[in-house]
């Protein structure tokens, strides 16, 4: 047990580095202010991070087949480390954009390779709970990002000290993993094409789960985006004050993932998925008609709590369905993270058409309905 724990911990610590991509939110505000950027130009900063999930996930999976999972994690650490040093060494628009590009590239490779690497140190029924524990670590990192930036600005004199702090943590993660022997499958020296990876979608179960990842990420980003807007529209809150809704959602999502990391080691993961997502649908229906500030915050928090473990459950189910294709499946599923870039614009279109943020909730509702269908179908397959 102690030997296994010594291998699990450095892998889980890698999820803390994975959470660095979420710092782009608070960083965008600082960079816009420091460099006097327009809203349009500043709006491209998050794109510099998240576009790579769509473009690089499959190539990263193909490369991982040849060099191995641990090596790819270390490649991601090197790229992230370099990216985090650039704005601190030279702070201008070009270096900032390049830093976020490298952060996005490194994070994409990390998400593709770190989850499968966890399967080399955790086996059987503990996999889903361990993946959920990784999401807890990632959520804690995301939650800490704005506070680290505030600490750097207030105590160290400049928010840019966030970058060397992140670089140091990345270096620590890389060194810890380097010193940890992990036995994994021999790298596949054969060819692995993008067509072969996308060909996995011909498997109905893999396609089903891929769409599940697409919609749960879309739901997550969508709820986080629309929550402040609901308080502004229905309660008349200011933009600054309405940010509380996102904090409530994030805290509850972290708490839910923490609870799930323990519960999923003891209960059936598909049933857990089923009960939670049906509960999330009921809560969302209440949110459609609720106008009070406190009730809205409670419902937003409940959605975060109930949906917090869905990503891990779907990801684990896909790996268990085709364990011999774990690398390819990981790349394919991380491509589904692009749901976070597709769903919010659709929400905006429907909000404009309806003249209300309730239109945005309709799009989120469709995401939840698919996930309910996914949970029920998976449940039938397991029980058959």
């Amino acid at each position: 047990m102690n030997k296994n724990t010594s291998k699990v911990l450095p892998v889980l610590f890698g999820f803390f580095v994975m959470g660095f991509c979420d710092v782009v939110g608070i960083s965008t505000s600082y960079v816009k202010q420091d460099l006097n950027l327009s809203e349009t130009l500043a709006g491209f900063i998050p794109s510099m991070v998240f576009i790579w999930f769509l473009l690089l996930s499959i190539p990263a999976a193909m490369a991982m087949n040849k060099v191995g999972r641990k090596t790819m994690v270390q490649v991601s650490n090197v790229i992230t480390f370099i990216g985090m040093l650039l704005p601190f060494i030279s702070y201008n628009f070009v270096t900032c954009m390049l830093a976020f590009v490298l952060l996005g590239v490194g994070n994409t490779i990390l998400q593709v390779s770190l989850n499968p690497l966890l399967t080399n140190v955790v086996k059987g029924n503990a996999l889903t709970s361990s993946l959920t524990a990784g999401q807890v670590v990632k959520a804690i990192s995301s939650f800490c990002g704005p506070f680290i930036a505030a600490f750097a600005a207030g105590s160290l004199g400049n928010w840019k000290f966030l970058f060397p702090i992140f670089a140091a943590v990345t270096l620590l993660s890389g060194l810890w993993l380097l010193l940890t022997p992990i036995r994994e499958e021999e790298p596949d020296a054969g060819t692995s094409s993008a067509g072969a990876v996308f060909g996995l979608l011909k498997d109905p179960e893999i396609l089903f789960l891929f769409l599940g990842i697409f919609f749960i990420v879309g739901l997550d980003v969508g709820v986080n985006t629309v929550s402040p807007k609901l308080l502004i529209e229905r309660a008349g809150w200011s933009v600054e004050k309405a940010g509380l809704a996102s904090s409530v959602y994030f805290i509850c999502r972290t708490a839910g993932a923490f609870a799930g990391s323990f519960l999923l080691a003891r209960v059936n993961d598909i049933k857990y998925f089923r009960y939670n997502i049906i509960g999330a649908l009921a809560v969302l229906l209440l949110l459609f008609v609720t106008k009070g500030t406190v009730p809205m915050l409670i419902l937003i928090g409940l959605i975060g709590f109930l949906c917090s473990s869905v990503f891990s459950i779907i990801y684990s189910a896909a790996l268990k369905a085709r364990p011999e294709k774990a690398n390819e499946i990981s790349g394919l599923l991380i491509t589904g993270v692009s749901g976070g870039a597709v769903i919010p614009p659709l929400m905006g279109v429907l909000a404009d058409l309806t003249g209300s943020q309730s239109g945005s909730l309709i799009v989120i509702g469709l995401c939840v309905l698919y996930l309910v269908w996914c949970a029920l179908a998976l449940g039938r397959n397991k029980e058959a």
Side-chain angles (χ1 to χ4, degrees):
M1 178 62 71
N2 290 335
K3 184 178 179 180
N4 187 58
T5 301
S6 69
K7 294 180 179 181
V8 171
L9 289 179
V11 177
L12 288 180
F13 189 72
F15 283 89
F16 194 88
V17 177
M18 192 185 292
F20 289 175
C21 65
D22 292 324
V23 80
V24 70
I26 187 64
S27 296
T28 298
S29 299
Y30 279 114
V31 173
K32 177 181 179 295
Q33 175 180 281
D34 292 347
L35 303 180
N36 295 315
L37 304 181
S38 66
E39 288 287 353
T40 300
L41 198 55
F44 280 102
I45 294 177
S47 299
M48 294 300 98
V49 175
F50 292 104
I51 189 64
W52 303 105
F53 288 100
L54 180 63
L55 299 179
L56 285 185
S57 294
I58 299 301
M62 293 161 56
M64 183 166 60
N65 264 348
K66 297 182 179 181
V67 304
R69 298 165 183 174
K70 183 177 176 180
T71 299
M72 288 299 288
V73 171
Q74 295 292 48
V75 168
S76 77
N77 284 329
V78 171
I79 293 172
T80 302
F81 178 78
I82 294 172
M84 292 298 91
L85 288 180
L86 282 179
F88 188 71
I89 295 172
S90 177
Y91 187 65
N92 55 59
F93 179 74
V94 174
T95 56
C96 283
M97 296 299 272
L98 183 57
F100 289 120
V101 166
L102 292 176
L103 177 61
V105 170
N107 211 273
T108 300
I109 296 172
L110 186 61
Q111 294 216 29
V112 170
S113 55
L114 190 63
N115 288 295
L117 184 62
L118 191 59
T119 67
N120 292 115
V121 294
V122 178
K123 302 295 182 182
N125 294 331
L127 178 59
T128 305
S129 62
S130 297
L131 286 169
T132 305
Q135 291 301 308
V136 173
V137 176
K138 179 179 181 292
I140 292 172
S141 172
S142 302
F143 180 72
C144 289
F147 292 102
I148 295 175
F151 168 78
S155 299
L156 302 180
N158 197 309
W159 79 277
K160 289 184 293 183
F161 281 98
L162 171 143
F163 293 110
I165 291 174
F166 276 10
V169 174
T170 304
L171 180 62
L172 174 62
S173 178
L175 290 175
W176 194 1
L177 187 62
L178 181 66
L179 297 173
T180 304
I182 296 178
R183 183 182 179 86
E184 57 180 301
E185 297 79 4
E186 287 295 323
D188 183 4
T191 58
S192 180
S193 66
V197 176
F198 281 111
L200 290 169
L201 293 175
K202 295 178 181 178
D203 183 328
E205 185 174 6
I206 299 301
L207 174 61
F208 199 54
L209 295 169
F210 170 80
L211 291 175
I213 291 291
F214 182 90
F215 286 116
I216 186 57
V217 175
L219 180 156
D220 182 45
V221 177
V223 173
N224 193 28
T225 301
V226 77
S227 296
K229 297 178 182 179
L230 288 173
L231 291 182
I232 293 169
E233 179 179 278
R234 297 181 182 179
W237 283 27
S238 66
V239 175
E240 294 79 12
K241 188 178 178 183
L244 174 65
S246 294
S247 299
V248 168
Y249 174 76
F250 197 82
I251 291 170
C252 291
R253 191 183 70 171
T254 304
F258 184 76
S261 66
F262 290 99
L263 293 174
L264 285 167
R266 296 166 174 79
V267 301
N268 181 276
D269 53 353
I270 302 302
K271 289 183 178 179
Y272 190 83
F273 177 17
R274 185 188 301 175
Y275 297 146
N276 277 271
I277 201 63
I278 291 175
L281 178 61
V283 171
L284 185 63
L285 291 174
L286 288 175
L287 189 58
F288 267 102
V289 298
T290 300
K291 297 186 183 301
T293 301
V294 174
M296 277 195 294
L297 288 173
I298 292 173
L299 294 174
I300 289 166
L302 281 173
I303 293 174
F305 186 91
L306 293 169
C307 295
S308 59
S309 299
V310 172
F311 181 97
S312 300
I313 292 171
I314 294 175
Y315 194 101
S316 175
L319 292 181
K320 291 176 182 177
R322 298 288 298 275
E324 78 284 1
K325 295 289 184 179
N327 291 352
E328 292 88 341
I329 286 174
S330 179
L332 190 62
L333 294 184
I334 297 304
T335 303
V337 173
S338 60
V342 175
I343 297 302
L346 294 177
M347 292 167 56
V349 170
L350 209 55
D352 284 338
L353 289 175
T354 60
S356 168
Q357 292 301 328
S358 295
S360 297
L361 293 179
I362 292 174
V363 179
I364 294 174
L366 294 175
C367 294
V368 177
L369 284 174
Y370 178 85
L371 292 166
V372 168
W373 181 36
C374 182
L376 294 176
L378 282 175
R380 286 196 297 269
N381 290 340
K382 294 293 182 180
E383 293 164 3

